[in-house]
Amino acid sequence: MTRRGAGKRVDATSLIKSFDAQARSYDRMVGADKGYHEHLRFSARRMGIPGGGAGLRLLDIGCGTGASTAALLDAAPEAEIVAVDASGEMLAQARRKTWTGKVQFVQGDVEDLERSVTGPFDGIMAAYLLRNVEDPNAALRAFYGLLRPGAPLCVHEYSVRDSGRSRLVWTIVSWGVIIPMAKLRTGDAGLYRYLWRSVLDFDGVEALATRMRACGFVDVLHQTMPGWQQHIVHTFLGRRPPGTEEDEQPKGFGNDAPTPPSGLDLTK
């Protein structure tokens, strides 16, 4: 996969190496944002996982040091969670933490998920991941293929392209706070300059919702977060249509209008 960075291209190998290098300081960096963990919990709860997740298998793709995994556990403490990331060092940090639930950490690339995990899953969460892959459609189709019919997908992601105000706020916070803090705390702000640029380059809200529908998801909805990240960080929800697990995976773009889903709670 390749993504544009600040003045240079960032390929999959260098991006993973950057996450490896920043793994030990990553939790301190994201912890400086008081809403970071709360917002992940919002998205996990919005999936509407029933019964505390008892008897369910959930997939956390791009789990990093485990913040999104913890959010899923908060929403579904009885579920079995498989957490996947391409960075071995980020996974090492996640494994050092105390986990009270049924959590398995697996190293794997989103572009080759079938080598890392075996479905089906009763829900998938992908936090701060989709903008980092070369082909988001291929990733979404892979998620679709790993879900049980009727199961939800949650994409927790930055999206500012539709709003000039959001782009301005994101740039001011990035260059006024995040990038200087990274330089001060870690000595290298390259990953966070990449973060700034990758957010500006990524889909707008409507484009991502359309992309999800094009890849076969139905009941696609989105909601933003409170605080300064309002209209900057969003929850995107969809689900694989009910049917048989042998249904052919849709390809290409469609124009189906989203309908209000059952079981998706967007108020919390």
Side-chain angles (χ1 to χ4, degrees):
M1 65 183 174
T2 57
R3 294 292 299 173
R4 288 188 293 275
K8 64 178 181 179
R9 293 190 67 82
V10 178
D11 62 26
T13 302
S14 64
L15 184 56
I16 293 169
K17 286 181 178 178
S18 293
F19 277 112
D20 282 341
Q22 296 288 330
R24 292 188 178 184
S25 61
Y26 195 77
D27 283 340
R28 287 192 298 120
M29 281 296 300
V30 300
D33 176 1
K34 301 304 181 185
Y36 185 88
H37 296 284
E38 180 184 19
H39 293 169
L40 286 168
R41 289 192 293 269
F42 283 168
S43 285
R45 288 198 296 266
R46 289 167 179 172
M47 294 174 71
I49 300 166
L56 302 182
R57 294 180 75 226
L58 304 177
L59 180 61
D60 178 16
I61 304 178
C63 66
T65 61
S68 50
T69 313
L72 276 177
L73 270 177
D74 182 74
E78 301 301 319
E80 174 189 349
I81 298 176
V82 179
V84 180
D85 201 272
S87 166
E89 291 300 319
M90 296 285 273
L91 286 174
Q93 295 299 314
R95 291 184 178 118
R96 290 189 180 102
K97 298 175 181 177
T98 300
W99 298 96
T100 57
K102 303 173 185 175
V103 179
Q104 177 188 6
F105 290 101
V106 177
Q107 187 167 3
D109 195 304
V110 66
E111 294 178 350
D112 199 12
L113 276 175
E114 291 184 357
R115 287 180 177 266
S116 307
V117 298
T118 302
F121 291 93
D122 300 290
I124 293 176
M125 185 172 190
Y128 302 120
L129 171 75
L130 204 60
R131 65 189 155 77
N132 293 319
V133 303
E134 182 179 13
D135 189 344
N137 288 347
L140 286 167
R141 288 193 291 265
F143 302 163
Y144 182 103
L146 287 168
L147 282 169
R148 292 188 191 278
L153 167 69
C154 171
V155 175
H156 179 95
E157 190 56 272
Y158 295 100
S159 180
V160 301
R161 198 159 192 161
D162 293 341
S163 167
R165 180 184 181 277
S166 295
R167 291 168 65 85
L168 177 61
V169 170
W170 173 244
T171 294
I172 291 171
V173 172
S174 293
W175 285 96
V177 179
I178 298 172
I179 293 170
M181 182 185 299
K183 182 67 174 177
L184 179 65
R185 290 188 173 185
T186 72
D188 181 5
L191 180 61
Y192 298 93
R193 289 193 298 269
Y194 164 78
L195 169 66
W196 164 69
R197 173 54 62 188
S198 70
V199 171
L200 292 181
D201 287 347
F202 189 57
D203 287 349
V205 168
E206 295 304 325
L208 181 51
T210 298
R211 189 188 294 277
M212 290 175 65
R213 288 192 290 269
C215 293
F217 291 94
V218 298
D219 300 338
V220 176
L221 295 173
H222 59 83
Q223 186 177 358
T224 189
M225 299 293 165
W228 77 266
Q229 295 194 78
Q230 188 174 44
H231 305 304
I232 293 175
V233 176
H234 307 260
T235 308
F236 295 86
L237 294 165
R239 64 176 69 248
R240 179 169 173 165
T244 66
E245 293 185 13
E246 291 76 21
D247 285 344
E248 182 179 355
Q249 183 173 319
K251 296 180 176 62
F253 280 80
N255 296 311
D256 294 339
T259 55
S262 59
L264 295 180
D265 185 353
L266 296 179
T267 63
K268 296 181 180 179

